[in-house]
Amino acid sequence: MRMETSDEDLVRAAVQGDAQAFQILINRHYDLIFRLAFKTFGNRADAEDLAQDICTRLPHKLCSFRAEARFTTWLYRVTLNAATDRLRSRQTRARANNNWGEVEQMQRAETAEKQAELDWLNRAMTHLPDDLRQTVALVLGEDLTHAVAARDLQEAVMAIRAQPVKPLFQRMLRIVREAADATGKAARLVIVGESIEVDKTMIERLADPLTHMIRNAVDHGLESTEARIAAGKDAVGTISLSAAHRSGRVLITIRDDGAGLDRPKILEIAGFP
């Protein structure tokens, strides 16, 4: 079965001077051009005149097609812009000649053209994912730049996904109790900044690393009760778990008040003299 040549391939060939490729494009999309022109002007004669004018000018405009959107979308915009320019030109001439009846007729046609554009946009947006649909609404409806719309959308999404670290931090209380019972040590957990919010995916990913580090703090960071008393410390060791904002990021810190790393013992285990 023979595959139909894509619009993009036909455009590339037409730009290179392939008259047959250009004719295929016109035959394939003339109805689209005519229907939009007819919706704009409301009569067949003006619609055919505009469609013929666009087809005549199209060879020179094809060089501006960058394939960043579908060819039909690009052609829609070309036709819409040509129709709008012609309407405005007619309105200017009609006002100059005090032909207000013609001005009113063209204003109704322009309103119909805008409604046609809005209907097309609404149909197109139904096929977009939610985030892209919101971006389009921000750019077109609120007249925002793409950068500002993307930032606002990101902030909105983050606000929906953000969750406080409190439930995660509270789970560490049980980890400290279990580790202290297993090692025969006395330990408490002090939590700071549990109202700080992070993405819920990050909370899920933090659970295992925090559990491992908290257990290490009890197992290897804190001394035994006897050693702490002998060193003049509180018999109950303290582990702190905190969250704070730092330069647009969330910093999570774990500290203990143990004796610290035993450097000689570490070197001995590693086999260094």
Side-chain angles (χ1 to χ4, degrees):
M1 181 176 181
R2 185 176 179 180
M3 296 287 291
E4 185 179 65
T5 306
S6 69
D7 289 339
E8 290 72 18
D9 289 338
L10 290 173
V11 169
R12 283 191 287 268
V15 170
Q16 296 298 321
D18 188 333
Q20 183 179 4
F22 178 73
Q23 190 59 50
I24 294 174
L25 275 175
I26 294 300
N27 293 340
R28 184 179 294 177
H29 299 294
Y30 183 84
D31 286 346
L32 169 66
I33 299 173
F34 176 81
R35 286 198 306 271
L36 182 56
F38 188 83
K39 284 183 179 179
T40 301
F41 294 105
N43 67 81
R44 188 176 189 85
D46 284 338
E48 288 180 345
D49 182 59
L50 179 66
Q52 290 295 329
D53 185 56
I54 291 174
C55 291
T56 301
R57 298 172 182 269
L58 199 57
H60 303 288
K61 290 183 174 293
L62 285 178
C63 295
S64 65
F65 177 65
R66 295 289 180 266
E68 296 174 354
R70 295 176 59 187
F71 177 74
T72 50
T73 302
W74 177 84
L75 185 60
Y76 181 95
R77 298 304 306 176
V78 169
T79 306
L80 192 62
N81 289 338
T84 301
D85 290 343
R86 183 166 294 193
L87 273 176
R88 288 173 179 169
S89 177
R90 286 188 177 183
Q91 286 178 353
T92 301
R93 291 197 302 270
R95 289 191 181 97
N97 296 329
N98 292 323
N99 191 346
W100 296 108
E102 186 178 352
V103 170
E104 183 179 353
Q105 180 182 359
M106 285 185 290
Q107 286 177 339
R108 287 198 299 269
E110 186 173 5
T111 300
E113 173 263 328
K114 289 181 178 179
Q115 185 60 49
E117 181 182 19
L118 182 59
D119 292 342
W120 176 86
L121 181 61
N122 287 333
R123 288 195 301 271
M125 288 179 66
T126 59
H127 299 287
L128 294 175
D130 289 343
D131 53 352
L132 291 182
R133 186 158 57 244
Q134 292 179 52
T135 301
V136 171
L138 288 171
V139 172
L140 298 182
E142 302 296 334
D143 196 26
L144 301 179
T145 65
H146 286 82
V148 173
R151 183 200 65 198
D152 290 352
L153 182 60
Q154 181 181 27
E155 290 177 353
V157 172
M158 287 298 295
I160 294 173
R161 293 180 57 86
Q163 295 182 358
V165 297
K166 180 177 179 179
L168 174 63
F169 279 17
Q170 292 293 324
R171 286 161 55 185
M172 297 303 113
L173 292 169
R174 178 178 58 83
I175 301 301
V176 169
R177 287 196 300 269
E178 292 176 352
D181 291 342
T183 59
K185 299 177 180 178
R188 68 169 69 91
L189 178 66
V190 176
I191 296 175
V192 178
E194 61 184 11
S195 62
I196 296 294
E197 294 183 338
V198 298
D199 188 276
K200 64 179 182 180
T201 302
M202 187 58 65
I203 289 180
E204 296 168 358
R205 294 178 178 178
L206 282 171
D208 288 343
L210 282 183
T211 299
H212 181 72
M213 295 173 73
I214 290 292
R215 283 175 175 162
N216 276 350
V218 177
D219 291 346
H220 309 296
L222 299 181
E223 313 96 314
S224 64
T225 302
E226 295 77 8
R228 291 181 64 85
I229 293 175
K233 293 182 176 181
D234 187 337
V236 180
T238 300
I239 298 172
S240 65
L241 175 60
S242 65
H245 289 290
R246 290 290 187 277
S247 303
R249 300 183 178 184
V250 175
L251 177 65
I252 295 179
T253 306
I254 299 175
R255 292 189 178 92
D256 65 67
D257 65 349
L261 299 177
D262 188 338
R263 181 179 176 82
K265 186 174 183 180
I266 292 175
L267 292 175
E268 178 184 352
I269 295 175
F272 291 97

